[in-house]
Amino acid sequence: MNEFLAPINEMGLPAPIWFLKLFKVLGFVLHLCMMNLWYAGMPLAAILSLTAEGDTRRIGERMVMYMPIIVALGINFGIVPLLFIQTLHYSLYYPTGILIAWPWLSVIVLLMFAYYGVYIYTTQVKNNNITKIGKISVWISAVFFILIGFLFANNFSLLVNKDEWLRIYEQTNVAGAVTGFALNLQDASLLPRWLFMIGLSVMTTAVYLIIDSVFFAKNETDNYRNTVRKFSLKLYLVGLIWAGTTSAWYIFGTFSRDLLDAIKTDPIVHGLFVITGLSAIVPLVIMIIKKQNFTKATAWLLGGFQFLVLTFNVLSRQWVQDFSIAKIVDLNRELVVTQWSSMIPFLLTFVIGAAVIFWMLKKIVGLKSMS
């Protein structure tokens, strides 16, 4: 199977492995904060546009109010972990990318149409003139974002499933060259992994609706805010049950025996997985306790805990990925040649970018009136 691995990069890794993993995790957490909102938020907006009335329908419309900015931030944050995984795990990333080349490349096309759909529907919501084209657009966006998530789950589940590489190669090669039309559909971990992310996104979307009602929906009525609190509580509960069920399926139904043993025998890793699971309950408890009176401080607290939920999930996923990849390639074989000429500009632009985003969020929160 090693013949499928890309050869060792003789130029070496441009930064230490810990540095690449740190920014991969950080970038993925920031990406998840935004990606979760369009992953579950757009289907929610599409469903409510057809089935709901009054304040509940308004929830779906407000869900997309800032979606163009959310998608833009999420895409840019997503580039960071994608670049770092290409750099760190190039020997796996590129071979799997070739095996599913055309579906993987189609992500760009799907994203473009999904983004256009977001703009069309958001514009019509803001103009209070939602036409059939707007309703079709929000559904196209919702379906395409879900498809993109499915393709990402395909690629990154295939990344650590070397046994599937040979099967796909044998079924899709023509004179030794693969056609690139395959998907990793026979991987047992694909479906629970994909569905789990939807459940996690539903939870994050529920938290966002509370934050939106507290900070941004100042022109909405008290009845609307009450509706949001009740709706978000139910939505979070649905997401929690969904994520809990699919994560149990993913862990106990698809993890190998040695992976489960490694989790059980290492107290730090075992503790990480326990905290990851229990942390998801905290936002639900806050919603139940504060459902009658959500202040800005409580909304910040709720958002902060949901950020921790996403962080713990990313750390757990990173550990599982490291464990799985270690059985295929030894990262210690990699030569590290730190390229300060690229690292310094990266760090500078990262700090400047983070400061600009913080300033933008501060301005948005500080606005006196937002419809």
Side-chain angles (χ1 to χ4, degrees):
M1 191 57 60
N2 289 337
E3 61 268 27
F4 285 103
L5 296 175
I8 293 179
N9 179 11
E10 295 183 356
M11 296 178 65
L13 298 175
I17 292 174
W18 67 264
F19 180 92
L20 296 173
K21 286 187 178 180
L22 173 65
F23 277 91
K24 176 176 173 284
V25 167
L26 177 60
F28 192 45
V29 172
L30 296 175
H31 169 67
L32 275 189
C33 292
M34 301 296 144
M35 182 275 278
N36 276 192
L37 300 183
W38 73 63
Y39 206 37
M42 291 306 294
L44 179 68
I47 293 170
L48 293 181
S49 71
L50 293 182
T51 62
E53 297 292 338
D55 288 331
T56 308
R57 185 188 182 94
R58 183 63 178 159
I59 289 174
E61 294 174 355
R62 287 205 59 87
M63 185 68 233
V64 302
M65 198 73 79
Y66 310 110
M67 196 57 79
I69 299 174
I70 290 170
V71 175
L73 288 174
I75 292 172
N76 282 283
F77 285 140
I79 291 171
V80 177
L82 199 55
L83 286 177
F84 279 90
I85 199 168
Q86 289 178 37
T87 304
L88 187 58
H89 301 304
Y90 63 90
S91 60
L92 306 173
Y93 179 84
Y94 290 109
T96 54
I98 292 170
L99 290 173
I100 61 169
W102 292 110
W104 186 233
L105 282 174
S106 72
V107 167
I108 298 172
V109 178
L110 292 171
L111 182 59
M112 289 173 63
F113 281 99
Y115 209 173
Y116 279 127
V118 167
Y119 266 105
I120 291 171
Y121 189 64
T122 302
T123 302
Q124 294 193 357
V125 166
K126 288 183 176 178
N127 292 333
N128 197 25
N129 180 30
I130 302 173
T131 65
K132 287 184 179 178
I133 292 177
K135 291 180 179 179
I136 293 172
S137 298
V138 70
W139 275 102
I140 289 175
S141 293
V143 172
F144 281 12
F145 279 134
I146 292 291
L147 276 176
I148 290 170
F150 183 70
L151 294 174
F152 266 81
N154 258 273
N155 197 351
F156 289 105
S157 57
L158 183 61
L159 187 83
V160 294
N161 188 356
K162 65 176 183 179
D163 294 336
E164 195 64 12
W165 296 5
L166 182 59
R167 189 195 67 79
I168 292 177
Y169 171 78
E170 289 178 341
Q171 291 187 353
T172 64
N173 86 87
V174 177
V178 293
T179 60
F181 286 106
L183 284 171
N184 187 31
L185 298 179
Q186 294 192 21
D187 190 323
S189 69
L190 171 64
L191 202 54
R193 183 177 179 144
W194 174 53
L195 293 176
F196 167 73
M197 187 56 73
I198 294 176
L200 191 64
S201 300
V202 170
M203 293 157 57
T204 306
T205 299
V207 171
Y208 171 79
L209 290 175
I210 293 286
I211 293 173
D212 176 68
S213 70
V214 173
F215 287 104
F216 307 133
K218 296 178 180 177
N219 288 343
E220 304 291 346
T221 64
D222 289 339
N223 190 55
Y224 170 79
R225 274 181 274 278
N226 289 331
T227 303
V228 170
R229 292 175 194 129
K230 294 174 184 175
F231 184 88
S232 298
L233 177 58
K234 294 175 184 175
L235 188 65
Y236 192 92
L237 187 58
V238 169
L240 183 62
I241 294 172
W242 184 327
T245 304
T246 51
S247 64
W249 176 13
Y250 180 43
I251 293 172
F252 300 109
T254 68
F255 280 13
S256 61
R257 187 71 260 168
D258 58 338
L259 177 54
L260 288 173
D261 289 341
I263 294 172
K264 290 178 181 176
T265 54
D266 188 323
I268 295 177
V269 176
H270 189 252
L272 173 62
F273 273 78
V274 171
I275 292 173
T276 301
L278 293 178
S279 66
I281 301 173
V282 178
L284 178 68
V285 173
I286 295 175
M287 286 183 175
I288 293 172
I289 294 174
K290 294 293 183 180
K291 64 180 179 181
Q292 299 299 332
N293 183 27
F294 256 104
T295 62
K296 287 185 177 180
T298 315
W300 276 115
L301 184 69
L302 181 65
F305 271 109
Q306 186 59 26
F307 183 81
L308 288 178
V309 171
L310 298 180
T311 302
F312 287 133
N313 270 280
V314 171
L315 290 173
S316 299
R317 293 167 69 95
Q318 181 63 49
W319 185 87
V320 172
Q321 187 181 70
D322 286 347
F323 183 90
S324 303
I325 287 178
K327 295 195 293 186
I328 306 173
V329 296
D330 180 11
L331 282 182
N332 294 321
R333 66 175 186 165
E334 299 287 351
L335 177 66
V336 176
V337 182
T338 305
Q339 297 177 13
W340 293 105
S341 60
S342 56
M343 278 185 65
I344 292 175
F346 167 77
L347 289 172
L348 285 175
T349 51
F350 180 84
V351 171
I352 293 171
V356 169
I357 291 171
F358 178 78
W359 174 80
M360 290 170 61
L361 293 175
K362 190 176 178 182
K363 286 289 184 183
I364 292 172
V365 173
L367 289 177
K368 291 183 179 179
S369 177
M370 298 186 74
S371 58

